[in-house]
Amino acid sequence: MGFSSRKSFKAGPFRVTASKSGLSYSAGMQGVRVTRRTDGRVQTTVSVPGTGLRHTTTDGGPQPAAAGPTPAAAPSGRRRRPGAWYFLVVLLSAGVLSAVPFAHAAARLQRKSLLVRAGCYAAAVVAFGALSSLTPKDAKGQAVGAAGNLLSGLSFLLLIAVIATACYQLVPLRREVFGLAAGAAQPDHPAAADPVVAARLAARARRDEARSLAQNDPVLARDLHIGRPDLAGDYDDGGLIDLNHAPARAIAEACSIDPAPAERIVAARQELGSFSSLDEVFVFARVEDGTAALIREYAVLLPR
């Protein structure tokens, strides 16, 4: 029998377990917990306290090789909404469990910035609890006095801000985690059977997906380095280039254009501060129509 060891560390809603087989971590509170196991799988457990009712799902991790063609999915009268529980957890817990969906997304996407975001939501919930405990209350639990009304109002505004912000940020994140944006398939192309054409169409779909993500969540787009091939990043944006931030050399390489128009774009950007539209880019940088068509295919404009 070989040696084995296991050690757990707990801090608030977060728990890290180190064992011989690897490192696992989880986040959650009573009723909901998301765990990333040592084999790379993500396990989500939702339960109703005091009833014994529990539902556990496991996904991710290494996938077995397919033995043959994948059968077509059977039609269903009910439309599935994967990831809808992200919003249910936030809303039904009145914002208290807002950190849980972000912890799940961090485990699925292997992105540290999402763990930081989950920690921020957990800290906001702790701040809400602190404000509630400091609020002067009468025997019925109602806030009393000017200080009580002030603290009660601040607690309410904080909780509303947590719920609204979490739901807003979870919209594009849910699409990315569950692959919903990729579900908007490109129209059938007559030459799509060619692997080279198929690869180009797939890259175009990635660009459309990344543009949508950048429009809905510019902060996340910056974290993913969308449109910045000059910066290291793991997210595949299909070859986009951010004309509001990227250097001239990166613009020229991404769009397959001469260095001169790329340098004019950077010069115009420095003069204007930033571009608000591609038409503005083409006018102020004096970009010809042929070059403009290439730039339009790959360009994205993130706010500065």
Side-chain angles (χ1 to χ4, degrees), residues 126-137 151-152 154-155 158:
V126 171
F128 168 76
L131 287 174
S132 297
S133 64
L134 293 174
T135 302
K137 299 176 181 177
L151 292 175
S152 178
L154 289 176
S155 300
L158 176 61

Side-chain angles (χ1 to χ4, degrees), residues 47-92:
S47 62
V48 181
T51 65
L53 296 176
R54 179 186 300 267
H55 177 68
T56 301
T57 58
T58 304
D59 52 12
Q63 298 295 325
T70 303
S76 173
R78 186 175 63 180
R79 184 181 178 184
R80 293 185 59 199
R81 297 183 181 275
W85 67 268
Y86 274 16
F87 305 99
L88 292 177
V89 165
V90 174
L91 297 173
L92 295 181

Side-chain angles (χ1 to χ4, degrees), residues 37-52:
R37 306 186 326 196
T38 57
D39 60 1
R41 294 183 178 273
V42 179
Q43 177 176 302
T44 306
T45 301
V46 181
S47 62
V48 181
T51 65

